[in-house]
mmCIF file with all atom_site columns, all heavy atoms in Angstrom:
data_model
loop_
_atom_site.group_PDB
_atom_site.id
_atom_site.type_symbol
_atom_site.label_atom_id
_atom_site.label_alt_id
_atom_site.label_comp_id
_atom_site.label_asym_id
_atom_site.label_entity_id
_atom_site.label_seq_id
_atom_site.pdbx_PDB_ins_code
_atom_site.Cartn_x
_atom_site.Cartn_y
_atom_site.Cartn_z
_atom_site.occupancy
_atom_site.B_iso_or_equiv
_atom_site.pdbx_formal_charge
_atom_site.auth_seq_id
_atom_site.auth_comp_id
_atom_site.auth_asym_id
_atom_site.auth_atom_id
_atom_site.pdbx_PDB_model_num
ATOM 1  N N   . GLU A 1 168 ? -5.127 9.261  6.053  1.00 0.00 ? 168 GLU A N   1
ATOM 2  C CA  . GLU A 1 168 ? -4.870 7.890  6.508  1.00 0.00 ? 168 GLU A CA  1
ATOM 3  C C   . GLU A 1 168 ? -3.461 7.446  6.053  1.00 0.00 ? 168 GLU A C   1
ATOM 4  O O   . GLU A 1 168 ? -2.724 6.808  6.813  1.00 0.00 ? 168 GLU A O   1
ATOM 5  C CB  . GLU A 1 168 ? -5.959 6.944  5.954  1.00 0.00 ? 168 GLU A CB  1
ATOM 6  C CG  . GLU A 1 168 ? -5.787 5.477  6.272  1.00 0.00 ? 168 GLU A CG  1
ATOM 7  C CD  . GLU A 1 168 ? -5.963 5.103  7.756  1.00 0.00 ? 168 GLU A CD  1
ATOM 8  O OE1 . GLU A 1 168 ? -6.076 6.010  8.599  1.00 0.00 ? 168 GLU A OE1 1
ATOM 9  O OE2 . GLU A 1 168 ? -5.934 3.894  8.047  1.00 0.00 ? 168 GLU A OE2 1
ATOM 10 N N   . ALA A 1 169 ? -3.100 7.820  4.819  1.00 0.00 ? 169 ALA A N   1
ATOM 11 C CA  . ALA A 1 169 ? -1.766 7.471  4.310  1.00 0.00 ? 169 ALA A CA  1
ATOM 12 C C   . ALA A 1 169 ? -0.685 8.132  5.172  1.00 0.00 ? 169 ALA A C   1
ATOM 13 O O   . ALA A 1 169 ? 0.367  7.544  5.444  1.00 0.00 ? 169 ALA A O   1
ATOM 14 C CB  . ALA A 1 169 ? -1.628 7.895  2.849  1.00 0.00 ? 169 ALA A CB  1
ATOM 15 N N   . HIS A 1 170 ? -0.969 9.333  5.633  1.00 0.00 ? 170 HIS A N   1
ATOM 16 C CA  . HIS A 1 170 ? -0.025 10.041 6.506  1.00 0.00 ? 170 HIS A CA  1
ATOM 17 C C   . HIS A 1 170 ? 0.064  9.346  7.861  1.00 0.00 ? 170 HIS A C   1
ATOM 18 O O   . HIS A 1 170 ? 1.154  9.099  8.396  1.00 0.00 ? 170 HIS A O   1
ATOM 19 C CB  . HIS A 1 170 ? -0.471 11.497 6.661  1.00 0.00 ? 170 HIS A CB  1
ATOM 20 C CG  . HIS A 1 170 ? 0.490  12.322 7.457  1.00 0.00 ? 170 HIS A CG  1
ATOM 21 N ND1 . HIS A 1 170 ? 0.187  12.828 8.696  1.00 0.00 ? 170 HIS A ND1 1
ATOM 22 C CD2 . HIS A 1 170 ? 1.768  12.693 7.205  1.00 0.00 ? 170 HIS A CD2 1
ATOM 23 C CE1 . HIS A 1 170 ? 1.229  13.490 9.164  1.00 0.00 ? 170 HIS A CE1 1
ATOM 24 N NE2 . HIS A 1 170 ? 2.209  13.415 8.278  1.00 0.00 ? 170 HIS A NE2 1
ATOM 25 N N   . ARG A 1 171 ? -1.105 8.995  8.388  1.00 0.00 ? 171 ARG A N   1
ATOM 26 C CA  . ARG A 1 171 ? -1.146 8.321  9.696  1.00 0.00 ? 171 ARG A CA  1
ATOM 27 C C   . ARG A 1 171 ? -0.374 7.002  9.661  1.00 0.00 ? 171 ARG A C   1
ATOM 28 O O   . ARG A 1 171 ? 0.323  6.645  10.602 1.00 0.00 ? 171 ARG A O   1
ATOM 29 C CB  . ARG A 1 171 ? -2.614 8.065  10.074 1.00 0.00 ? 171 ARG A CB  1
ATOM 30 C CG  . ARG A 1 171 ? -2.846 7.688  11.539 1.00 0.00 ? 171 ARG A CG  1
ATOM 31 C CD  . ARG A 1 171 ? -4.298 7.334  11.801 1.00 0.00 ? 171 ARG A CD  1
ATOM 32 N NE  . ARG A 1 171 ? -4.710 6.093  11.173 1.00 0.00 ? 171 ARG A NE  1
ATOM 33 C CZ  . ARG A 1 171 ? -4.408 4.870  11.606 1.00 0.00 ? 171 ARG A CZ  1
ATOM 34 N NH1 . ARG A 1 171 ? -3.691 4.710  12.690 1.00 0.00 ? 171 ARG A NH1 1
ATOM 35 N NH2 . ARG A 1 171 ? -4.813 3.791  10.945 1.00 0.00 ? 171 ARG A NH2 1
ATOM 36 N N   . LEU A 1 172 ? -0.453 6.311  8.522  1.00 0.00 ? 172 LEU A N   1
ATOM 37 C CA  . LEU A 1 172 ? 0.222  5.013  8.397  1.00 0.00 ? 172 LEU A CA  1
ATOM 38 C C   . LEU A 1 172 ? 1.718  5.147  8.083  1.00 0.00 ? 172 LEU A C   1
ATOM 39 O O   . LEU A 1 172 ? 2.452  4.164  8.099  1.00 0.00 ? 172 LEU A O   1
ATOM 40 C CB  . LEU A 1 172 ? -0.439 4.183  7.282  1.00 0.00 ? 172 LEU A CB  1
ATOM 41 C CG  . LEU A 1 172 ? -1.860 3.680  7.558  1.00 0.00 ? 172 LEU A CG  1
ATOM 42 C CD1 . LEU A 1 172 ? -2.461 3.057  6.307  1.00 0.00 ? 172 LEU A CD1 1
ATOM 43 C CD2 . LEU A 1 172 ? -1.857 2.665  8.701  1.00 0.00 ? 172 LEU A CD2 1
ATOM 44 N N   . GLY A 1 173 ? 2.151  6.363  7.749  1.00 0.00 ? 173 GLY A N   1
ATOM 45 C CA  . GLY A 1 173 ? 3.576  6.560  7.432  1.00 0.00 ? 173 GLY A CA  1
ATOM 46 C C   . GLY A 1 173 ? 3.898  6.421  5.958  1.00 0.00 ? 173 GLY A C   1
ATOM 47 O O   . GLY A 1 173 ? 5.070  6.380  5.571  1.00 0.00 ? 173 GLY A O   1
ATOM 48 N N   . LEU A 1 174 ? 2.858  6.345  5.125  1.00 0.00 ? 174 LEU A N   1
ATOM 49 C CA  . LEU A 1 174 ? 3.114  6.219  3.683  1.00 0.00 ? 174 LEU A CA  1
ATOM 50 C C   . LEU A 1 174 ? 3.474  7.564  3.065  1.00 0.00 ? 174 LEU A C   1
ATOM 51 O O   . LEU A 1 174 ? 4.264  7.623  2.128  1.00 0.00 ? 174 LEU A O   1
ATOM 52 C CB  . LEU A 1 174 ? 1.863  5.632  2.994  1.00 0.00 ? 174 LEU A CB  1
ATOM 53 C CG  . LEU A 1 174 ? 1.939  5.391  1.498  1.00 0.00 ? 174 LEU A CG  1
ATOM 54 C CD1 . LEU A 1 174 ? 3.073  4.438  1.146  1.00 0.00 ? 174 LEU A CD1 1
ATOM 55 C CD2 . LEU A 1 174 ? 0.621  4.815  0.979  1.00 0.00 ? 174 LEU A CD2 1
ATOM 56 N N   . VAL A 1 175 ? 2.897  8.640  3.560  1.00 0.00 ? 175 VAL A N   1
ATOM 57 C CA  . VAL A 1 175 ? 3.250  9.963  3.017  1.00 0.00 ? 175 VAL A CA  1
ATOM 58 C C   . VAL A 1 175 ? 3.910  10.809 4.097  1.00 0.00 ? 175 VAL A C   1
ATOM 59 O O   . VAL A 1 175 ? 3.640  10.643 5.287  1.00 0.00 ? 175 VAL A O   1
ATOM 60 C CB  . VAL A 1 175 ? 2.040  10.721 2.400  1.00 0.00 ? 175 VAL A CB  1
ATOM 61 C CG1 . VAL A 1 175 ? 1.322  9.879  1.375  1.00 0.00 ? 175 VAL A CG1 1
ATOM 62 C CG2 . VAL A 1 175 ? 1.093  11.242 3.439  1.00 0.00 ? 175 VAL A CG2 1
ATOM 63 N N   . ASN A 1 176 ? 4.783  11.702 3.637  1.00 0.00 ? 176 ASN A N   1
ATOM 64 C CA  . ASN A 1 176 ? 5.533  12.545 4.578  1.00 0.00 ? 176 ASN A CA  1
ATOM 65 C C   . ASN A 1 176 ? 4.711  13.726 5.072  1.00 0.00 ? 176 ASN A C   1
ATOM 66 O O   . ASN A 1 176 ? 4.768  14.084 6.248  1.00 0.00 ? 176 ASN A O   1
ATOM 67 C CB  . ASN A 1 176 ? 6.808  13.055 3.911  1.00 0.00 ? 176 ASN A CB  1
ATOM 68 C CG  . ASN A 1 176 ? 7.734  11.929 3.550  1.00 0.00 ? 176 ASN A CG  1
ATOM 69 O OD1 . ASN A 1 176 ? 7.454  11.142 2.664  1.00 0.00 ? 176 ASN A OD1 1
ATOM 70 N ND2 . ASN A 1 176 ? 8.843  11.814 4.253  1.00 0.00 ? 176 ASN A ND2 1
ATOM 71 N N   . HIS A 1 177 ? 3.983  14.365 4.145  1.00 0.00 ? 177 HIS A N   1
ATOM 72 C CA  . HIS A 1 177 ? 3.172  15.536 4.518  1.00 0.00 ? 177 HIS A CA  1
ATOM 73 C C   . HIS A 1 177 ? 1.900  15.547 3.687  1.00 0.00 ? 177 HIS A C   1
ATOM 74 O O   . HIS A 1 177 ? 1.915  15.160 2.513  1.00 0.00 ? 177 HIS A O   1
ATOM 75 C CB  . HIS A 1 177 ? 3.933  16.844 4.244  1.00 0.00 ? 177 HIS A CB  1
ATOM 76 C CG  . HIS A 1 177 ? 5.225  16.940 4.985  1.00 0.00 ? 177 HIS A CG  1
ATOM 77 N ND1 . HIS A 1 177 ? 5.318  17.304 6.311  1.00 0.00 ? 177 HIS A ND1 1
ATOM 78 C CD2 . HIS A 1 177 ? 6.502  16.714 4.577  1.00 0.00 ? 177 HIS A CD2 1
ATOM 79 C CE1 . HIS A 1 177 ? 6.583  17.288 6.691  1.00 0.00 ? 177 HIS A CE1 1
ATOM 80 N NE2 . HIS A 1 177 ? 7.329  16.928 5.651  1.00 0.00 ? 177 HIS A NE2 1
ATOM 81 N N   . VAL A 1 178 ? 0.828  16.035 4.297  1.00 0.00 ? 178 VAL A N   1
ATOM 82 C CA  . VAL A 1 178 ? -0.410 16.297 3.557  1.00 0.00 ? 178 VAL A CA  1
ATOM 83 C C   . VAL A 1 178 ? -0.541 17.815 3.471  1.00 0.00 ? 178 VAL A C   1
ATOM 84 O O   . VAL A 1 178 ? -0.393 18.509 4.475  1.00 0.00 ? 178 VAL A O   1
ATOM 85 C CB  . VAL A 1 178 ? -1.645 15.714 4.284  1.00 0.00 ? 178 VAL A CB  1
ATOM 86 C CG1 . VAL A 1 178 ? -2.918 16.009 3.492  1.00 0.00 ? 178 VAL A CG1 1
ATOM 87 C CG2 . VAL A 1 178 ? -1.486 14.217 4.498  1.00 0.00 ? 178 VAL A CG2 1
ATOM 88 N N   . VAL A 1 179 ? -0.759 18.300 2.253  1.00 0.00 ? 179 VAL A N   1
ATOM 89 C CA  . VAL A 1 179 ? -0.831 19.756 2.058  1.00 0.00 ? 179 VAL A CA  1
ATOM 90 C C   . VAL A 1 179 ? -2.111 20.116 1.298  1.00 0.00 ? 179 VAL A C   1
ATOM 91 O O   . VAL A 1 179 ? -2.767 19.242 0.717  1.00 0.00 ? 179 VAL A O   1
ATOM 92 C CB  . VAL A 1 179 ? 0.404  20.282 1.273  1.00 0.00 ? 179 VAL A CB  1
ATOM 93 C CG1 . VAL A 1 179 ? 1.682  19.995 2.041  1.00 0.00 ? 179 VAL A CG1 1
ATOM 94 C CG2 . VAL A 1 179 ? 0.477  19.676 -0.128 1.00 0.00 ? 179 VAL A CG2 1
#
Side-chain angles (χ1 to χ4, degrees):
E168 177 68 352
H170 184 248
R171 194 185 69 76
L172 291 172
L174 181 59
V175 307
N176 297 69
H177 301 280
V178 180
V179 299

